[in-house]
Amino acid sequence: MQNALSVVFDSLPYLLQGSFLTAGIVVFAMFLGLFIGIFMSVGLVYGNRYIRYILTVYVWIFRGVPVVVLLFLFYFGLFAFLGLNFSAFATVSIVLGMTTGAYQANIFKGAILSLPQGQFKAASALGMSDIQAIKSVVLPQMLRLSIPAWSNEYSIILKDSALAFVIGAPEIMARTQFVASRTYQHLSLYITAGIIYFLLTWAGVIGLRKLEQYVRIPGYSQHGNQ
Amino acid sequence: MMTDKKPILRVTNITKSFGDITILKSVSIELAKGDIKILIGPSGGGKSTLLQCINCLVLPDSGEIELDNKRIHFTRKQDIYRLRQQVGMIFQDFNLFDHLTALDNITVALRKVKKMSKKEAEKRARLELKQVGLDDKEDLYPAQLSGGQKQRVAIARALAMDPKILLLDEPTSALDPTLIGEVISVIKELAIKGMTMIMATHQISLIHNLADEILFMEDGRIVEQGPPGALLAAGNTSKSQGFCDLLDKLSEVEE
Amino acid sequence: MELSPFYQDLFTSLNSGLLMSIALIVPSAMGGVLIGITAGAIRTYGNRFFRTIIDCYAAVFRGTPLVIQLFVLYFGLPNIGIYLTPYLAAVVGFTLCSGAYQSEYVRGALLSIKSGQYLGAQALGFTTFQTIVWIILPQAFRRAIHGCGNEIIYLIKYSSLAFIVTCIELTGAGKTVATEYFRFTEVFGIIGLYYLALVSLAIIILKKIEHRLFIPGFGHH
Ligand SMILES: Nc1ncnc2c1ncn2[C@@H]1O[C@H](COP(=O)(O)OP(=O)(O)O)[C@@H](O)[C@H]1O
Ligand SMILES: [Mg+2]
């Protein structure tokens, strides 16, 4: 017990350093996902048949294949095959970004479809082009409606980022495993790692809830609009 | 006028508090067969609470309820279930079971509470639906019915249980003005058939045409009580009169 | 047509891995739903003490990565003298984690039932037990099924983590072959197709069930 605590105490700074990499993965993946999600959702709703078909297949693949399998496929397979020399960090960020992009595409699609029909028409009636209407009427509403789902995505990506250790990116989980294999204090170390993830998860979720309140427009919420 | 009739329901000195606030302050009502008593008064006066106390959806803190001269013990589950089977309740917001069709909303109680067979229950349910003019809607779910239709199904559901008394809590106030008529006419038919009722309502035509007695409730008490002819006579200065005048004006504005 | 030794090896391994995956998924899914219903009911109706405990359980398992939970069970518990087999560690981890997420949907479903539904039943003389069986459960079931089904689909995907605690299922079996032949793209591409098949099958079954149980006013699109 004594030993377990001292190991945890000694290795804590080392483990916590891993959270920078974890945070990097999450931030990169979230924004890549946001970018992919927005473009895809617009394509899924307003695109022609072929665009919709291709995007649907993309969503199907990234929502159906486990993250570990994607990591192995991209890191050891596809990227090498294509001659791309991506680091483990870059690979994890890209794979998680593409995965959450598939989910975010569906979230945004749902949000666009739940906007009252009249919004787009009203924008067009004011003489806006389609792009202008999407940019200044559809997107601002859609992003607000999507914050709750977005917070869910954040928590999923954060937890999935712990899988980066299977390809050797030195984030929290990999570091914990490294220390544990040397000190044999598995239980206390993994519980410590668990606590770090727990705090990161709920801090982010609560932060996004605050954001949601901050950008809220009176009388306008997911429920109010259904 | 009512002296020769034996009361079937006697509610004596009911009180009810939520936390520190006393909602009902020693309220008593007697009801004989065929009586129609109408509760009016400002919102928050305790009408809904009183009606829910009468069939023990809200348990009174003190007081007595007697049905057919038998006292209901509030601590005995069986007493309460028996009371509820004999006293029907119509809610402002219908409370139809959302996962059941119009027909099954009626049969579920007949089968589970009255232990009727499926066939019997359906036969009875169809009969009641026909009475409220909805025999062609039996397969529709609440989400597919209009407010007026929902309330008529709710009335059919309550009647199928053969209640001795029907309690109605503002049965028309959640309805669009255009749908109120169909529910009012169903209630009027019930009155003609001699149904015993206590009804909270702000519907002037129901108050004028149906009430044997008006009970004006305010601040947890019945503060005025009497036949409409007396209370609402022209030039009377009763609270009921003032209140009904107000309702009259409001309904004119609406039209 | 004769398959090359690589493909023969691959499919033999993947098929036995698939069996192991199914042996992981089925009991975990059932256990998860069972725990989810119990935990969800306690989180909604329980007294303050039990509610707090179960809320904490759900927060912990939803707030930490599943890999960590598996590592604690498989590598951590031996520190205090508890040894689980790889299979058991995986099933216990999946079940507890899945149950925590399921409880969220069950709770949401129970909370979404309006108080009028209880009142309506009580007014007709239903006992509390009858109200639960005939009114509350059928409605809660329909409200929860979409989320619970999605959670099972997640479980199918996350069963791929079992190999990390040395329980060799689909992903683990494929990884061995891939390393041996050094053919990662093909192997993990094919594993991906296996999972796509499993997930798509689950989605189809779930849609069928949802469709059969569909009632106007309870739909989820
Ligand atoms: N369950 C409850 N808990 C606390 N207060 C309640 C509850 N039910 C009703 N009340 C209060 O009782 C008062 C009377 O309400 P109600 O019986 O609904 O009056 P009415 O039907 O005449 O409008 C109101 O002030 C209301 O806020
Ligand atoms: Mg009321």
Side-chain angles (χ1 to χ4, degrees), chain B residues 52 55 57 81 84-85 87 89 91 95-100 108-109 112-113 115 141 143-144 157-158 161, chain C residues 114-117 119-128 130 134-136 138-139 142-143 214-218:
Chain B
Q52 298 205 5
N55 73 347
L57 288 174
Y81 295 142
R84 286 176 184 160
Q85 286 178 42
V87 179
M89 178 90 174
F91 299 91
N95 293 342
L96 288 186
F97 303 130
D98 294 329
H99 66 302
L100 298 175
V108 71
K112 304 306 166 194
V113 178
K115 312 289 181 201
Y141 288 91
Q144 298 167 307
R157 180 173 77 173
M161 301 293 284
Chain C
K114 286 161 280 163
S115 62
Q117 299 290 306
L119 269 187
Q122 302 286 295
L124 288 166
F126 278 71
T127 64
T128 307
Q130 285 173 326
W134 298 108
I135 309 300
I136 306 306
Q139 295 193 14
R142 288 187 168 80
R143 292 248 162 80
F214 176 78
I215 281 179
F218 284 82

Side-chain angles (χ1 to χ4, degrees), chain B residues 22-250:
Chain B
T22 307
I23 307 295
L24 294 180
K25 298 163 186 165
S26 194
V27 178
S28 302
I29 297 183
E30 258 181 33
L31 207 60
K33 194 165 165 35
D35 273 0
I36 298 179
K37 307 223 169 184
I38 292 197
L39 290 169
I40 60 172
S43 143
K47 302 182 294 295
S48 298
T49 309
L50 174 62
L51 289 174
Q52 298 205 5
C53 275
I54 292 176
N55 73 347
C56 292
L57 288 174
V58 168
L59 281 184
D61 296 333
S62 64
E64 271 179 33
I65 296 178
E66 269 175 52
L67 186 68
D68 281 335
N69 288 321
K70 274 192 230 100
R71 166 137 187 228
I72 303 297
H73 293 267
F74 300 143
T75 50
R76 279 194 211 148
K77 284 243 159 78
Q78 288 315 316
D79 270 25
I80 291 180
Y81 295 142
R82 192 172 55 83
L83 169 78
R84 286 176 184 160
Q85 286 178 42
Q86 298 184 43
V87 179
M89 178 90 174
I90 301 299
F91 299 91
Q92 184 174 339
D93 41 9
F94 331 124
N95 293 342
L96 288 186
F97 303 130
D98 294 329
H99 66 302
L100 298 175
T101 59
L103 188 76
D104 286 340
N105 256 282
I106 303 174
T107 58
V108 71
L110 293 176
R111 292 176 61 195
K112 304 306 166 194
V113 178
K114 296 217 146 175
K115 312 289 181 201
M116 271 190 198
S117 73
K118 183 170 168 169
K119 225 171 143 191
E120 259 182 298
E122 285 182 352
K123 199 169 145 210
R124 179 66 198 263
R126 292 210 170 89
L127 194 76
E128 294 298 342
L129 279 178
K130 203 175 162 85
Q131 297 284 319
V132 296
L134 290 174
D135 35 345
D136 55 337
K137 299 279 190 281
E138 64 171 59
D139 287 329
L140 296 189
Y141 288 91
Q144 298 167 307
L145 296 170
S146 74
Q149 292 170 338
K150 280 189 230 185
Q151 194 59 295
R152 280 145 72 198
V153 173
I155 292 173
R157 180 173 77 173
L159 292 179
M161 301 293 284
D162 285 323
K164 295 200 168 99
I165 301 164
L166 202 56
L167 309 174
L168 301 97
D169 190 0
E170 304 201 29
T172 56
S173 39
L175 299 177
D176 279 356
T178 50
L179 301 177
I180 289 178
E182 57 190 74
V183 173
I184 287 185
S185 63
V186 166
I187 294 173
K188 284 186 174 163
E189 258 169 59
L190 283 180
I192 292 168
K193 286 181 194 151
M195 189 56 158
T196 314
M197 297 190 258
I198 307 180
M199 170 160 52
T201 184
H202 288 163
Q203 203 61 46
I204 281 292
S205 75
L206 287 175
I207 301 173
H208 275 293
N209 298 330
L210 298 190
D212 294 316
E213 189 173 48
I214 290 175
L215 310 173
F216 189 92
M217 258 194 107
E218 192 175 47
D219 203 15
R221 285 197 183 87
I222 295 176
V223 294
E224 259 179 27
Q225 165 164 22
L231 280 184
L232 304 181
N236 196 328
T237 54
S238 70
K239 285 191 174 190
S240 306
Q241 166 71 354
F243 192 74
C244 287
D245 271 353
L246 196 67
L247 292 178
D248 262 339
K249 291 209 186 85
L250 286 176

Side-chain angles (χ1 to χ4, degrees), chain A residues 105-120:
Chain A
N106 262 17
I107 293 168
F108 294 143
K109 179 182 150 193
I112 294 177
L113 292 178
S114 78
L115 295 182
Q117 280 287 316
Q119 297 288 315
F120 196 87

